[in-house]
Amino acid sequence: MKILNFFYENHPKFEPNFERKVKISLKNTLIKGPKYCGKKSLILNFLSDFKAEEILFLDLKDLRFEKESLKNLELFLKQNSQIKILCLYNLDFIPNLDSISIPIILSTDKKNFIVPNFTEFELDYLDFEEFISASKKNLPVNHLVGLFLQSGRSVFRDNEILRKNFNVLELEILKYLAKNLGKQISIAQLFIEVKNNIKTSKDSLYQSVKDLEDSFMIHSIFHDEKKLRKIYFRDFALKNALCIQKDFKHLFENLILNELFKLKQNFFYNKFFHFYSKDSKIAYISSPTLDLDFIKLRAKKILPKALELGIFHIFFITLSNDESFFEQGVKFEVLPFDKWALGF
């Protein structure tokens, strides 16, 4: 009881802050998302509509918190009937909450974490539109694109934060992925490369890759026909934070994928398209610096494959070009990144 009472009396500040696109509703909710994506700020913003005495906010990764204290949760809430909402932050296990009658907010950084009878949604890092709102900089939009590319979507561009949040094996995996961003990845080859730098086992490496995926740090895109995949970062800026090799082409490719996360769709790739959805039948090609004439030439080359796959809408995402045209019923849109990212 003392632990619960301590956190009840020493709660964080429940105050309005930067508004995200997603909203929490007053029902049992599970919020998933990577570390430092803003889950806590989103929750505190929502809780600012309540009185402080109506809230029990428990940070389960606070060193002062003890898991055993949850056994007294039902009794504590009965003795403090003024509490109207419960939040369990940084959850990595499923507690028994069946006896709790007030609304509950849970948060986790585990993608595969499932709690029955809870409405769940994912909170991602800032997209370009949110970045503009958060930066509050009155700059031309093309300057804001440059600032976004430099800043990234999270705090993981900082070396100290990277060392704090990942072990040696995970950092070696992330560094390898940074050097091979946008390329087809073989986990077997990854193991050989990592083993040259540190002592590890194949099982440990495979588990670490799964953990990085489950914690929203990396994201696999699979080939539409072969057993191949490319692995990208949930924050494109990790590429430059982890290696000195400059590769703007694949960095821009990763940037596009990060914006596509908003669509909540499964994407695939092949030699014609960087990303395409089998559901929406829309394809995306990263072409940051390609001349418009070359884009039109490439459009004609990929047209047969588009028709074969039933794709009738193809985006070429660029830095500055802006045009649209049709070929045999297929719509090709050539858009600068800012116009495309702010258009959906």
Side-chain angles (χ1 to χ4, degrees):
M1 286 293 215
K2 289 183 179 180
I3 296 290
L4 297 176
N5 194 62
F6 172 83
F7 280 93
Y8 178 58
E9 294 181 348
N10 295 275
H11 53 73
K13 290 184 178 180
F14 307 117
E15 55 188 12
N17 47 47
F18 172 67
E19 289 279 348
R20 299 295 299 270
K21 291 179 181 179
V22 296
K23 305 290 183 184
I24 301 174
S25 60
L26 194 58
K27 55 186 176 182
N28 288 352
T29 302
L30 171 62
I31 305 170
K32 297 180 179 181
K35 295 177 181 178
Y36 306 113
C37 73
K39 296 188 295 297
K40 188 173 185 178
S41 295
L42 180 72
I43 293 169
L44 296 183
N45 190 58
F46 174 74
L47 295 178
S48 67
D49 290 335
F50 293 81
K51 296 177 182 178
E53 61 267 22
E54 295 177 330
I55 305 164
L56 178 58
F57 184 97
L58 302 175
D59 184 348
L60 277 61
K61 288 192 177 178
D62 190 305
L63 293 176
R64 297 166 295 183
F65 179 79
E66 295 179 9
K67 185 177 177 179
E68 290 295 309
S69 66
L70 291 179
K71 292 179 179 179
N72 299 314
L73 184 57
E74 181 183 1
L75 179 58
F76 183 82
L77 292 173
K78 285 181 178 179
Q79 293 177 352
N80 295 274
S81 58
Q82 73 276 12
I83 297 176
K84 305 299 183 186
I85 190 163
L86 168 67
C87 177
L88 302 183
Y89 181 70
N90 276 327
L91 200 62
D92 58 5
F93 64 95
I94 301 177
N96 184 356
L97 301 170
D98 294 341
S99 61
I100 308 301
S101 58
I102 61 175
I104 306 168
I105 299 173
L106 308 177
S107 86
T108 183
D109 58 11
K110 304 301 180 187
K111 185 189 298 185
N112 294 322
F113 194 83
I114 297 174
V115 182
N117 303 317
F118 271 69
T119 299
E120 67 174 60
F121 66 82
E122 289 184 9
L123 182 67
D124 200 0
Y125 294 123
L126 298 181
D127 62 25
F128 181 56
E129 183 178 8
E130 290 177 318
F131 171 80
I132 292 175
S133 298
S135 65
K136 298 179 180 179
K137 295 183 183 294
N138 188 22
L139 297 171
V141 70
N142 61 319
H143 289 189
L144 288 168
V145 172
L147 188 60
F148 190 43
L149 283 164
Q150 181 180 1
S151 302
R153 310 173 73 213
S154 73
V155 298
F156 281 115
R157 62 187 178 277
D158 182 271
N159 267 225
E160 289 305 313
I161 293 178
L162 284 168
R163 290 193 182 96
K164 177 183 175 182
N165 285 275
F166 303 104
N167 60 41
V168 174
L169 175 55
E170 289 170 335
L171 285 173
E172 285 297 323
I173 292 170
L174 292 172
K175 286 166 65 176
Y176 176 86
L177 296 177
K179 294 174 182 177
N180 294 275
L181 189 65
K183 300 176 183 178
Q184 291 179 163
I185 296 293
S186 161
I187 302 299
Q189 183 60 37
L190 169 60
F191 171 67
I192 293 171
E193 294 293 331
V194 170
K195 194 177 179 182
N196 287 334
N197 297 325
I198 62 170
K199 186 177 181 179
T200 186
S201 68
K202 189 173 293 185
D203 288 344
S204 296
L205 182 133
Y206 279 37
Q207 186 60 51
S208 291
V209 171
K210 288 181 180 179
D211 290 343
L212 288 169
E213 189 111 35
D214 186 42
S215 60
F216 297 94
M217 286 296 104
I218 60 176
H219 185 85
S220 294
I221 297 291
F222 291 90
H223 194 281
D224 58 353
E225 295 178 350
K226 304 174 183 178
K227 291 183 178 181
L228 300 170
R229 66 172 163 177
K230 297 180 180 181
I231 300 179
Y232 296 89
F233 296 122
R234 296 288 299 207
D235 179 5
F236 61 87
L238 269 171
K239 191 258 185 290
N240 288 338
L242 290 161
C243 73
I244 62 173
Q245 298 171 0
K246 300 302 178 184
D247 183 0
F248 183 73
K249 175 184 174 182
H250 289 117
L251 178 72
F252 194 75
E253 195 176 305
N254 201 151
L255 169 65
I256 291 170
L257 177 62
N258 288 164
E259 291 293 314
L260 287 174
F261 288 152
K262 292 183 289 188
L263 299 179
K264 307 295 183 184
Q265 296 178 5
N266 288 323
F267 290 95
F268 299 86
Y269 77 93
N270 54 37
K271 69 176 183 178
F272 302 94
F273 309 117
H274 287 120
F275 314 109
Y276 84 90
S277 167
K278 294 181 179 180
D279 296 324
S280 65
K281 301 294 184 181
I282 299 176
Y284 304 85
I285 299 173
S286 172
S287 303
T289 58
L290 201 60
D291 181 85
L292 190 56
D293 289 335
F294 282 103
I295 289 177
K296 289 184 176 181
L297 183 62
R298 186 172 178 183
K300 290 181 179 180
K301 290 182 178 179
I302 65 177
L303 183 59
K305 188 64 177 181
L307 294 172
E308 177 189 326
L309 294 174
I311 294 173
F312 289 93
H313 197 171
I314 299 172
F315 286 94
F316 283 88
I317 314 302
T318 72
L319 283 174
S320 58
N321 291 314
D322 190 344
E323 191 169 322
S324 64
F325 55 92
F326 285 85
E327 291 283 351
Q328 296 184 38
V330 178
K331 183 179 182 180
F332 292 89
E333 285 195 74
V334 184
L335 292 174
F337 170 79
D338 56 276
K339 185 175 180 179
W340 170 73
L342 297 174
F344 70 99

